[in-house]
Amino acid sequence: DTGVSQNPRHKITKRGQNVTFRCDPISEHNRLYWYRQTLGQGPEFLTYFQNEAQLEKSRLLSDRFSAERPKGSFSTLEIQRTEQGDSAMYLCASSLERATNEKLFFGSGTQLSVL
Amino acid sequence: AQKITQTQPGMFVQEKEAVTLDCTYDTSDPSYGLFWYKQPSSGEMIFLIYQGSYDQQNATEGRYSLNFQKARKSANLVISASQLGDSAMYFCAMRETETGFQKLVFGTGTRLLVSP
């Protein structure tokens, strides 16, 4: 059994470039989440998929950010025209839909540095 | 609006002693879930324990227990018999279930250092 996998682990880019991150959830999990974490803060919700449908997006998510989950399996998060303020750890999590104590399982994240 | 407050930026404890990490929350929903996660330096968030708002008893998972005081809106994590490997960031989080929103909202975390 493999956990949530995220690639790449680190990404350094220049301001204005586009970047794309990938998340492979636990295989039977139908829900997938993207979070962003900056230094000294807790993870901040970005967006959520149930199967292939994107059901929630944070109002903090600018139009430069887009996420997809084709076929309800892996997901990609793309940031266009990166800015220095986008520098953060991007965490992906997955879960299996349950009525109550649904746990999120997180990957190790992608650390983005925008120069 | 949801809010999670962790007022302890850092905590120190000696190995084999117990430690309590504080968490208070604010919600108007009667149905919600509370979670604690551990984040070691590797970055991965590790699930520790869950407490539902309707659960009658405090949750326990091995050395972790949750001191749930609903009237005070607090959900403190108790780690018994601390180990060196417990040194990490600890985050309290809440999910509201009745409204249908699926996101977890996290606090700012507490850094725990366990000394020999």
Side-chain angles (χ1 to χ4, degrees), chain A residues 71-83:
Chain A
K71 303 178 184 178
S73 56
F74 72 92
S75 175
T76 58
L77 177 68
E78 181 183 17
I79 309 174
Q80 296 182 325
R81 306 181 303 281
T82 52
E83 301 172 357

Side-chain angles (χ1 to χ4, degrees), chain A residues 9 31 33 35 37 40-45 48 50 56 89 91 99-108, chain B residues 35 37 39 41-47 50 61 89 91 95 97 100-109:
Chain A
R9 285 283 280 132
R31 289 179 168 170
Y33 307 76
Y35 281 80
Q37 186 178 23
Q41 299 297 316
E44 177 185 50
F45 171 79
Y48 150 66
Q50 178 147 323
E56 279 185 60
M89 173 78 84
L91 293 165
T100 53
N101 61 335
E102 183 177 325
K103 305 174 206 173
L104 268 61
F105 293 82
F106 283 83
S108 297
Chain B
F35 300 76
Y37 280 83
Q39 187 177 41
S41 55
S42 60
E44 184 178 350
M45 300 282 285
I46 302 167
F47 168 80
Y50 166 85
E61 292 277 354
M89 284 291 291
F91 291 95
R95 179 173 62 221
T97 52
F101 290 147
Q102 295 302 330
K103 64 182 180 185
L104 283 186
V105 176
F106 287 83
T108 51

Side-chain angles (χ1 to χ4, degrees), chain A:
Chain A
D1 174 39
T2 56
V4 177
S5 176
Q6 291 189 247
N7 287 289
R9 285 283 280 132
H10 300 92
K11 179 70 177 178
I12 300 173
T13 191
K14 291 183 179 178
R15 189 177 53 179
Q17 298 293 306
N18 299 343
V19 294
T20 300
F21 310 140
R22 177 177 170 124
C23 172
D24 288 272
I26 293 172
S27 57
E28 64 268 26
H29 286 184
N30 61 334
R31 289 179 168 170
L32 187 146
Y33 307 76
W34 284 98
Y35 281 80
R36 177 172 63 191
Q37 186 178 23
T38 53
L39 202 61
Q41 299 297 316
E44 177 185 50
F45 171 79
L46 293 179
T47 190
Y48 150 66
F49 289 85
Q50 178 147 323
N51 300 311
E52 66 275 9
Q54 188 174 17
L55 297 186
E56 279 185 60
K57 277 178 72 171
S58 168
R59 276 171 279 179
L60 301 173
L61 206 63
S62 80
D63 56 8
R64 296 183 297 106
F65 287 70
S66 62
E68 292 183 343
R69 193 184 182 197
K71 303 178 184 178
S73 56
F74 72 92
S75 175
T76 58
L77 177 68
E78 181 183 17
I79 309 174
Q80 296 182 325
R81 306 181 303 281
T82 52
E83 301 172 357
Q84 287 184 327
D86 297 332
S87 296
M89 173 78 84
Y90 290 83
L91 293 165
C92 176
S94 70
S95 66
L96 184 62
E97 181 179 358
R98 291 186 62 174
T100 53
N101 61 335
E102 183 177 325
K103 305 174 206 173
L104 268 61
F105 293 82
F106 283 83
S108 297
T110 294
Q111 182 67 53
L112 173 66
S113 298
V114 181
L115 305 177

Side-chain angles (χ1 to χ4, degrees), chain B residues 1-113:
Chain B
Q2 303 178 64
K3 187 176 179 182
I4 294 285
T5 303
Q6 294 181 257
T7 57
Q8 305 156 315
M11 289 287 286
F12 293 90
V13 67
Q14 272 204 310
E15 202 176 4
K16 299 179 186 176
E17 293 190 347
V19 63
T20 298
L21 306 183
D22 294 341
C23 172
T24 58
Y25 59 91
D26 186 23
T27 180
S28 54
D29 268 4
S31 178
Y32 52 89
L34 296 158
F35 300 76
W36 277 92
Y37 280 83
K38 171 184 178 181
Q39 187 177 41
S41 55
S42 60
E44 184 178 350
M45 300 282 285
I46 302 167
F47 168 80
L48 296 178
I49 196 166
Y50 166 85
Q51 179 84 43
S53 58
Y54 294 123
D55 293 345
Q56 294 298 312
Q57 296 193 337
N58 287 344
T60 60
E61 292 277 354
R63 293 186 300 111
Y64 305 107
S65 61
L66 202 150
N67 184 2
F68 181 46
Q69 298 189 40
K70 196 169 181 177
R72 293 185 175 184
K73 293 188 175 179
S74 76
N76 298 339
L77 176 70
V78 181
I79 305 174
S80 62
S82 297
Q83 301 172 357
L84 295 178
D86 294 334
S87 294
M89 284 291 291
Y90 288 81
F91 291 95
C92 180
M94 178 173 69
R95 179 173 62 221
E96 292 176 338
T97 52
E98 193 163 278
T99 58
F101 290 147
Q102 295 302 330
K103 64 182 180 185
L104 283 186
V105 176
F106 287 83
T108 51
T110 296
R111 181 171 296 282
L112 176 66
L113 288 177

